[in-house]
Amino acid sequence: MKLILMGTNDWVVPIFDRAANEHNIVAVFTRAPKPAGRKMELQKSPVHIWAESRNIPVYTKISDLNHKSEIINHKSIDYIVVASYGVILKDDVLNAAPTINIHPSLLPKYRGPAPMLSAILNGDSDTGVCLMKLTRDVDAGPIYMCRKIKIGENDTIVDLEKNVASVSTEMLSGFLQNPKIYSTIEQIGTPTYTHKFSKEDTIIDWSKSPQQIHNQVRSIGGRTKINGIDVKILETKLSYADKLPPCGGGCPSLEIIRIQPAGKKPMDWKSFVNGLRGTEIKIGE
């Protein structure tokens, strides 16, 4: 088949790589390079870098889909595949070829830009992937298939993205082998929506429960002050030392594993505490 791929983020690369091994990729559309790092140098997206490594034409303006007719022959395109692209597609794109979307949640739950982060942040024990027909309404199209994915208590966003990529790769490959055998069903249930997270969202509110803070750290990340030092909390875990009622299976407490003080490399918690030389630890101050 001849495909156009649209995506941006890391977890999409293995999916697109499998598709490129099995099909003819005519073009890749991705986010335009953005300034990043201390020097604010323009940085290409992971999908952009991957496409160039395979000598696939890359476009960073969605308008090029219709303006590059000498390169992209719409009549020859079997499918447009979209995954974590970050651009709302309009009718001119949706009408160019059959368009399918890989969405990492069990729709209609978690429509919008941050479904995986939201699932972990909310403490969900499972999520999933839906392969769906793209429509004008965001993440509201009919579904070809869904697969459920478990989320472990200590799974981070990196872990979940890896699992989602693996499942999505198999789903897309299977679908493209024989699309005619897959029919669509409308989404059932009340939709929930996600939003983009900002740097301010990562500031830890220490009045929240250990479980809520653990969920935050392993999803969007955690920032706080310890003895007046700005730090990122990189890794935590829950400890269940108390086996007595009313906790039942044990009341969890939060254990900090790794942190990164501002301007320094990541370190384990013990090394950081040793560096305080016996000073009383004041978290959040």
Side-chain angles (χ1 to χ4, degrees):
M1 286 191 176
K2 290 186 177 181
L3 308 177
I4 291 174
L5 306 179
M6 297 181 177
T8 294
N9 296 328
D10 274 308
W11 67 270
V12 178
V13 171
I15 306 169
F16 285 2
D17 199 51
R18 173 76 170 268
N21 289 339
E22 298 175 347
H23 303 278
N24 178 13
I25 310 304
V26 174
V28 168
F29 285 77
T30 190
R31 182 201 69 205
K34 288 186 174 182
R38 291 183 179 179
K39 296 182 179 180
M40 297 301 287
E41 296 177 343
L42 289 178
Q43 183 173 326
K44 297 175 181 177
S45 76
V47 167
H48 194 147
I49 295 169
W50 165 81
E52 288 186 335
S53 74
R54 299 201 58 151
N55 297 314
I56 301 171
V58 183
Y59 301 93
T60 57
K61 295 180 180 179
I62 192 62
S63 58
D64 286 340
L65 181 65
N66 291 311
H67 294 166
K68 298 290 184 179
S69 57
E70 72 279 8
I71 298 174
I72 303 172
N73 181 359
H74 293 173
K75 294 182 179 180
S76 70
I77 302 301
D78 293 292
Y79 282 98
I80 297 173
V81 179
V82 182
S84 190
Y85 182 32
V87 174
I88 296 177
L89 303 181
K90 298 182 179 180
D91 288 345
D92 59 336
V93 177
L94 298 177
N95 294 333
T99 305
I100 56 178
N101 181 39
I102 300 169
H103 185 79
S105 80
L106 295 175
L107 291 166
K109 190 175 184 180
Y110 297 144
R111 293 179 181 176
M116 288 188 279
L117 290 172
S118 298
I120 297 176
L121 183 64
N122 293 336
D124 294 355
S125 59
D126 56 49
T127 185
V129 177
C130 288
L131 191 66
M132 58 182 288
K133 182 178 179 180
L134 211 56
T135 62
R136 293 182 65 185
D137 296 327
V138 176
D139 300 329
I143 294 170
Y144 291 104
M145 68 175 92
C146 287
R147 298 287 185 272
K148 185 177 285 190
I149 296 174
K150 292 291 183 184
I151 303 176
E153 181 180 77
N154 295 309
D155 282 353
T156 66
I157 185 60
V158 174
D159 299 320
L160 183 54
E161 285 180 343
K162 185 182 296 184
N163 291 337
V164 164
S166 177
V167 171
S168 300
T169 297
E170 297 303 322
M171 290 173 67
L172 180 64
S173 178
F175 176 86
L176 292 176
Q177 286 177 17
N178 192 359
K180 293 181 180 180
I181 69 172
Y182 294 93
S183 57
T184 59
I185 60 170
E186 297 298 323
Q187 296 182 27
I188 300 173
T190 302
T192 61
Y193 296 90
T194 67
H195 64 277
K196 290 183 178 180
F197 294 100
S198 67
K199 187 176 181 180
E200 285 68 32
D201 291 320
T202 66
I203 297 173
I204 296 175
D205 177 358
W206 291 101
S207 68
K208 291 184 176 181
S209 71
Q211 181 70 69
Q212 289 173 314
I213 296 172
H214 180 58
N215 294 343
Q216 177 180 328
V217 169
R218 62 198 182 99
S219 57
I220 63 175
R223 295 167 54 243
T224 191
K225 286 184 179 291
I226 301 179
N227 290 21
I229 303 170
D230 290 320
V231 301
K232 294 179 181 179
I233 308 295
L234 303 179
E235 182 182 355
T236 57
K237 74 174 184 179
L238 297 175
S239 298
Y240 297 86
D242 186 357
K243 301 294 183 182
L244 299 175
C247 304
C251 292
S253 59
L254 187 72
E255 183 177 347
I256 299 174
I257 306 300
R258 288 192 311 122
I259 72 169
Q260 183 175 11
K264 295 186 178 181
K265 295 181 179 180
M267 64 179 67
D268 61 77
W269 175 247
K270 184 177 180 180
S271 297
F272 176 76
V273 172
N274 289 341
L276 296 178
R277 302 181 184 279
T279 304
E280 180 184 359
I281 299 173
K282 297 181 180 179
I283 296 181
E285 301 181 16

